[in-house]
Amino acid sequence: MSDDGVAEVAARLAAARRRLRAAEASAGRPPGSVRLLLATKTMEAAVVRAALVADRDGTDRPAGELPVLVGENRVQELVAKAPELADLAPGWHVIGPLQSNKVNAALRWAACVQSVDDLALAERLQRRCEAVDRTLEVLVQVNVSGEATKSGVPPAAAADLAVRVAALDRLRLRGFMTIGARSPDEGVVRAGFAALRDVRDEVLARGAPGTADAGELSMGMSGDLEAAVAEGATLVRLGTAVFGARPAAPA
């Protein structure tokens, strides 16, 4: 990757961080209360490395703010990039649909799976974690918009699913994830994010075993992070805001 390309990624990351800080301030939230995850779908490992190195330089990161995380939609990309970036030891999250036959490959690298949307997948993750003697952080994905193109459990069923996932002893339920409504109406988008917050609050209020640490809200992307932060996001997933337009995905 050229020096100019590295500098452009670093500049975009700094701009994204400033945008996130501004959103926090506008929402009356303290700096650093929302963590940044780099959504690296279709990005080459060298491009991801440039962002990680810029983040670790820390010149644009407020004191005490945690380093960025890295999220992959496709397991095949995760297993291709992770070895090339192992020296930087990023925290890898699976943020796209996870097929049962990809669980073994995903868990070689992933610290968290954000896309648990049914009990069968949770139980498959549980069995694999038992086999390799590890624990795994998970988020329950909720389809707050009801759009057929989006994965996730319906909001009305999300709390019950979360309680059942939390009962699996090799999984650590950390919270909830959603993809915002595809709408130009900010009110519609914010309503969806508020619905995810309501699911989280319901689960915490129940006090079921394994749910005490389920406070994370992974919501908001490059186009709607301000709405997500206003509604309580603790983690935003940014791709184009940091990397620019995505190249075409491999077949």
Side-chain angles (χ1 to χ4, degrees):
M1 188 176 184
S2 70
D3 290 346
D4 286 347
V6 170
E8 181 177 355
V9 169
R12 283 182 174 273
L13 176 61
R17 200 183 298 284
R18 290 192 297 271
R19 183 179 164 195
L20 184 54
R21 299 291 82 85
E24 289 172 331
S26 180
R29 301 178 61 184
S33 57
V34 185
R35 194 169 184 181
L36 174 59
L37 178 145
L38 303 176
T40 57
K41 181 174 68 175
T42 75
M43 294 297 156
E44 295 181 356
V47 179
V48 182
R49 176 177 291 277
L52 291 172
V53 169
D55 178 67
R56 280 153 176 72
D57 176 59
T59 55
D60 294 297
R61 191 169 73 235
E65 183 179 340
L66 294 171
V68 298
L69 298 166
V70 184
E72 272 298 342
N73 288 75
R74 298 171 58 154
V75 173
Q76 55 265 48
E77 289 195 57
L78 169 63
V79 299
K81 295 172 195 175
E84 295 189 48
L85 299 168
D87 58 305
L88 296 175
W92 289 99
H93 286 214
V94 173
I95 58 174
L98 178 58
Q99 298 174 342
S100 291
N101 64 353
K102 299 291 180 64
V103 163
N104 291 2
L107 264 58
R108 284 200 290 270
W109 299 102
C112 178
V113 174
Q114 295 198 16
S115 50
V116 174
D117 61 0
D118 63 41
L119 188 61
L121 175 58
E123 290 174 338
R124 177 71 179 88
L125 292 168
Q126 166 80 6
R127 290 193 297 272
R128 182 57 184 166
C129 286
E130 288 173 341
V132 298
D133 193 21
R134 65 164 290 186
T135 58
L136 175 72
E137 294 189 350
V138 297
L139 305 184
V140 167
Q141 183 173 358
V142 184
N143 185 349
V144 297
S145 70
E147 295 167 10
T149 56
K150 291 183 170 66
S151 299
V153 61
D160 287 342
L161 174 61
V163 168
R164 297 181 74 179
V165 170
L168 299 171
D169 67 342
R170 292 305 182 109
L171 304 186
R172 299 289 179 263
L173 180 67
R174 295 303 310 277
F176 302 85
M177 184 268 269
T178 197
I179 300 171
R182 188 178 180 87
S183 172
D185 186 337
E186 184 178 347
V188 171
V189 177
R190 286 189 60 163
F193 293 146
L196 190 72
R197 186 185 65 238
D198 289 345
V199 169
R200 188 270 314 271
D201 292 349
E202 177 186 349
V203 170
L204 293 178
R206 288 190 189 186
T211 62
D213 296 325
E216 293 279 12
L217 294 176
S218 174
M219 57 189 194
M221 299 188 291
S222 295
D224 55 15
L225 79 85
E226 286 82 5
V229 171
E231 296 296 340
T234 63
L235 182 66
V236 294
R237 309 181 304 273
L238 303 187
T240 56
V242 175
F243 300 115
R246 297 186 184 279

